[in-house]
């Protein structure tokens, strides 16, 4: 991902937070020439056994993901293969009317993290079930209502054979936080205030990140 210096992440924690807050990744692999690239949306978490409280540089972290085994992408995924995971955070259109200057051009403020790494397929059904359970715990704790999965574990075991789980060892990461940093301070503040007072949740979330800029 091309990241102009203006838009580089203020600190590594921004990328880690974006992944945790926006865990639906787009997994991209080249595939064979006759198949073309594979792209699959899938949930991703930090491996609770090795990287659960990860807060440092992303290279070295381990992520866990899973997809449907019926997906041709899974059949093409081999241990040792390289995968790209992309995560999209808060974003919104910026109208020139907000700038209150002329000439001006519209743009799109957005946040994204691209993570490169090596795949390890998980073939054990018990380990696959563990990935599903870890994912439920992570998401119920952050996004749900604390649902207790205990009474559904037998059901999980029934569907686990259809789940393709994998570990992902991060080897590199790029973060782009395009939040009007190229604009003069007063213009950037007008964008932030406009977004913060909007009825659009995407604009308000983007304003929240803009408020954290140095």
């Amino acid at each position: 991902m091309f990241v102009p210096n203006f838009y580089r992440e203020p600190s590594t924690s921004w990328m880690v937070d974006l992944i945790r807050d926006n865990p639906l990744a787009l997994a991209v692999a080249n595939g064979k020439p006759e198949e073309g690239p594979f792209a699959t949306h899938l949930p991703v978490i930090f491996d609770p056994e090795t990287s659960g409280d990860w807060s440092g540089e992303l290279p070295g972290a381990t992520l866990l993901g899973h997809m449907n085994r019926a997906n041709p992408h899974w059949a093409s995924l081999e241990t040792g293969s390289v995968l790209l995971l992309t995560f999209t955070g808060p974003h919104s259109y910026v109208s020139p009317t907000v700038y209150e200057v002329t000439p001006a051009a519209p743009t799109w403020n957005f946040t994204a993290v691209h993570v490169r790494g090596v795949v390890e397929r998980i073939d054990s059904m018990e380990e696959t079930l563990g990935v599903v359970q870890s994912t439920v715990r992570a998401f119920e704790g952050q996004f749900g209502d604390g649902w207790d999965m205990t009474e559904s574990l037998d059901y999980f075991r029934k569907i686990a054979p259809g789940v393709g789980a994998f570990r992902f060892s991060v080897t590199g990461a790029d973060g782009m936080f395009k939040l009007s940093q190229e604009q003069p301070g007063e213009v950037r503040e007008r964008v932030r205030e406009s977004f913060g007072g909007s009825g659009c949740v995407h604009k308000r979330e983007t304003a929240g990140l803009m408020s954290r800029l140095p």
Side-chain angles (χ1 to χ4, degrees):
M1 176 167 61
F2 171 64
V3 184
N5 286 333
F6 267 131
Y7 306 133
R8 292 198 174 277
E9 74 282 355
S11 75
T12 301
S13 65
W14 284 52
M15 291 200 289
V16 173
D17 289 346
L18 187 145
I19 291 173
R20 286 203 171 98
D21 293 340
N22 304 273
L24 184 66
L26 178 63
V28 182
N30 285 337
K32 297 177 181 178
E34 63 271 19
E35 297 166 332
F38 287 106
T40 299
H41 292 275
L42 48 82
V44 172
I45 63 170
F46 284 86
D47 185 344
E49 293 189 5
T50 63
S51 309
D53 59 353
W54 198 269
S55 59
E57 298 288 335
L58 279 168
T62 302
L63 307 177
L64 299 176
H66 66 277
M67 66 175 73
N68 192 324
R69 281 180 176 261
N71 187 338
H73 193 166
W74 174 254
S76 75
L77 210 59
E78 299 177 353
T79 292
S81 61
V82 176
L83 196 65
L84 174 71
L85 299 178
T86 72
F87 301 84
T88 303
H91 60 92
S92 189
Y93 174 71
V94 184
S95 170
T97 58
V98 179
Y99 293 155
E100 298 180 11
V101 296
T102 301
T107 190
W108 201 285
N109 277 3
F110 69 91
T111 56
V113 172
H114 288 193
V115 180
R116 301 174 301 282
V118 179
V119 171
E120 177 193 347
R121 282 173 55 127
I122 296 173
D123 293 320
S124 160
M125 281 300 102
E126 281 305 308
E127 286 189 84
T128 297
L129 183 61
V131 171
V132 173
Q133 290 177 273
S134 293
T135 303
V136 171
R137 289 189 195 99
F139 292 166
E140 276 297 321
Q142 186 169 2
F143 306 111
D145 299 314
W147 174 67
D148 185 347
M149 72 181 94
T150 304
E151 295 183 359
S152 295
L153 289 180
D154 286 342
Y155 175 66
F156 282 11
R157 289 188 178 91
K158 289 179 181 178
I159 64 175
V163 175
F166 62 91
R167 290 186 186 85
F168 180 88
S169 299
V170 179
T171 58
D174 293 302
M176 183 156 174
F177 291 79
K178 182 179 179 295
L179 300 169
S180 299
Q181 296 99 315
E182 81 286 1
Q183 296 293 339
E186 64 274 12
V187 174
R188 185 167 64 245
E189 182 61 16
R190 282 198 288 271
V191 175
R192 189 196 65 77
E193 289 181 352
S194 172
F195 279 13
S198 172
C200 172
V201 65
H202 299 297
K203 279 184 164 61
R204 293 198 304 273
E205 289 176 349
T206 305
L209 278 181
M210 294 180 71
S211 297
R212 290 173 55 189
L213 286 171

